[in-house]
């Protein structure tokens, strides 16, 4: 446990968190890590950073299955990242879902990464806690490569919007939302600077509540900003509408038949029959001159 500690990494130095079981290997709280060019932090297990500032020109790599850069449990991290962070492992892994048990993960909870560059590789992910208690996370350059995951946790109507100065999302990446909110909502998860918005990705929504329709969609650009949004809508009962629609379809052929019958009747002329006299025929009586 490192609390209120300052670390200065000299050129060529490395800080390695080796694999362990049973929890975090080290926890940095309210500490400062300054990295010069050529220094590296390698995460091979779980390292927790809380209200810690990591700055400089070094690199932080999370490059082993199950490795995580975490922020503790229900504690706003408030970390500041000013370095290059690579969340890349060497092999493709199964869907990380909500636990990231088989891939590497970077967890943010109100983190300031506006001066950092974060790259997420295949099978790995960055998860952003959207609770108001965390505050908005800020990314500088955020790249989600093919097979990578961008996950938004604890999504509710009061979720805060994270931001990115530069954002790249592969069409083969996954955007995942974790929500347990049983309410209609429409929230902005990420706002990023761009003139053309990303619109193609794989969506995964965990725990969309029964009776609701959930979707992840893109909006913008508006004033040079694109938005990645999440919507949960209450499903409507269309049973009556379907019944009326069926009756309307049945009425169409009936109406057509009626029109045909009326049209045929209008075109039919009445039949003319010869007039037959019913009086008996008598021979005519010749007329004689009168005297």
């Amino acid at each position: 446990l490192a609390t209120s500690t300052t670390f200065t990494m000299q050129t060529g130095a490395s800080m390695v968190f080796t694999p362990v079981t049973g929890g975090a290997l080290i926890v940095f709280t309210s500490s400062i890590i300054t990295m010069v060019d050529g220094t590296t932090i390698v995460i091979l297990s779980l390292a927790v950073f809380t209200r810690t500032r990591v700055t400089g020109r070094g690199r932080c790599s999370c490059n082993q299955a199950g490795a995580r850069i975490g922020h503790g449990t229900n504690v706003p991290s408030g970390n500041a990242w000013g370095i290059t962070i690579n969340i890349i492992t060497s092999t493709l892994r199964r869907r990380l879902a909500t636990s990231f048990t088989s891939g590497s993960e970077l967890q943010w909870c109100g983190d300031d990464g506006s001066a950092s560059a974060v790259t997420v590789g295949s099978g790995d992910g960055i998860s952003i806690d959207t609770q108001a208690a965390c505050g908005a996370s800020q990314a500088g350059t955020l790249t989600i490569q093919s097979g990578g995951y961008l996950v938004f946790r604890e999504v509710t109507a009061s979720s805060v919007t994270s931001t990115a100065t530069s954002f790249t999302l592969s069409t083969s990446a996954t955007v995942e939302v974790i929500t347990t909110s049983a309410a209609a909502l429409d929230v902005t998860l990420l706002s990023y600077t761009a003139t053309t918005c990303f619109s193609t990705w794989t969506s995964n929504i965990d725990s969309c509540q029964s009776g609701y329709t959930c979707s992840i969609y893109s909006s913008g650009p508006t004033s040079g900003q694109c938005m990645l949004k999440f919507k949960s809508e209450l499903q409507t009962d269309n049973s009556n509408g379907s019944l009326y629609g069926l009756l309307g379809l049945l009425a169409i052929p009936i109406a057509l038949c009626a029109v045909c019958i009326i049209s045929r009747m209008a075109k039919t002329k009445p039949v003319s029959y010869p007039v037959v006299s019913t009086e008996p025929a008598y021979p005519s009586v010749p007329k004689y001159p009168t005297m």
Side-chain angles (χ1 to χ4, degrees):
L1 177 64
T3 303
S4 301
T5 304
T6 300
F7 296 86
T8 301
M9 299 180 63
Q10 301 295 336
T11 302
S14 296
M15 183 183 294
V16 181
F17 298 90
T18 57
V20 294
T21 58
L25 174 62
I26 191 168
V27 178
F28 291 93
T29 302
S30 302
S31 297
I32 299 174
I33 301 175
T34 302
M35 306 176 68
V36 300
D37 193 13
T39 57
T40 304
I41 296 177
V42 180
I43 310 294
L44 301 177
S45 183
L46 169 60
V48 175
F49 295 81
T50 303
R51 294 182 297 277
T52 293
R53 179 178 297 274
V54 185
T55 61
R57 300 182 60 185
R59 305 175 69 88
C60 179
S61 297
C62 206
N63 57 7
Q64 181 165 305
R68 288 188 296 160
I69 303 174
H71 60 75
T73 304
N74 298 322
V75 178
S77 61
N79 297 314
W81 302 90
I83 59 173
T84 299
I85 304 174
N86 295 322
I87 313 298
I88 300 176
T89 52
S90 58
T91 58
L92 182 65
R93 308 184 189 285
R94 66 175 178 81
R95 187 178 79 85
L96 299 179
T98 60
S99 61
F100 282 91
T101 56
S102 63
S104 299
E105 176 190 15
L106 172 63
Q107 297 177 343
W108 275 4
C109 173
D111 285 34
D112 181 4
S114 57
S116 69
V118 179
T119 300
V120 179
S122 178
D124 305 307
I126 176 173
S127 65
I128 301 174
D129 197 320
T130 67
Q131 295 181 85
C134 286
S137 292
Q138 304 171 60
T141 300
L142 178 59
T143 302
I144 313 297
Q145 296 180 342
S146 176
Y149 291 79
L150 172 60
V151 181
F152 297 93
R153 297 175 179 266
E154 307 295 338
V155 176
T156 65
S158 59
S159 288
V160 294
T161 302
S162 297
T163 60
T165 303
S166 176
F167 179 58
T168 302
L169 180 66
S170 169
T171 57
S172 300
T174 296
V175 178
E176 182 172 358
V177 165
I178 303 171
T179 179
T180 57
S181 175
L185 56 93
D186 191 350
V187 294
T188 301
L189 303 171
L190 178 70
S191 176
Y192 58 96
T193 304
T195 55
T196 302
C197 303
F198 293 98
S199 59
T200 304
W201 59 79
T202 299
S203 292
N204 184 59
I205 301 171
D206 289 337
S207 303
C208 182
Q209 299 300 294
S210 176
Y212 288 82
T213 300
C214 299
S215 61
I216 305 170
Y217 68 100
S218 179
S219 176
T222 303
S223 300
Q225 292 294 119
C226 292
M227 279 74 70
L228 196 60
K229 308 191 73 170
F230 172 73
K231 178 185 290 186
S232 175
E233 297 178 290
L234 184 64
Q235 295 177 355
T236 57
D237 183 5
N238 294 321
S239 57
N240 289 335
S242 300
L243 176 60
Y244 294 147
L246 179 59
L247 292 176
L249 291 175
L250 292 175
I252 292 176
I254 296 175
L256 291 176
C257 290
V259 170
C260 291
I261 293 173
I262 294 173
S263 177
R264 290 177 62 86
M265 291 177 63
K267 292 180 180 180
T268 303
K269 295 181 179 180
V271 180
S272 300
Y273 298 97
V275 178
V276 179
S277 176
T278 57
E279 298 180 0
Y282 296 95
S284 57
V285 178
K287 294 183 180 181
Y288 296 96
T290 57
M291 297 300 293

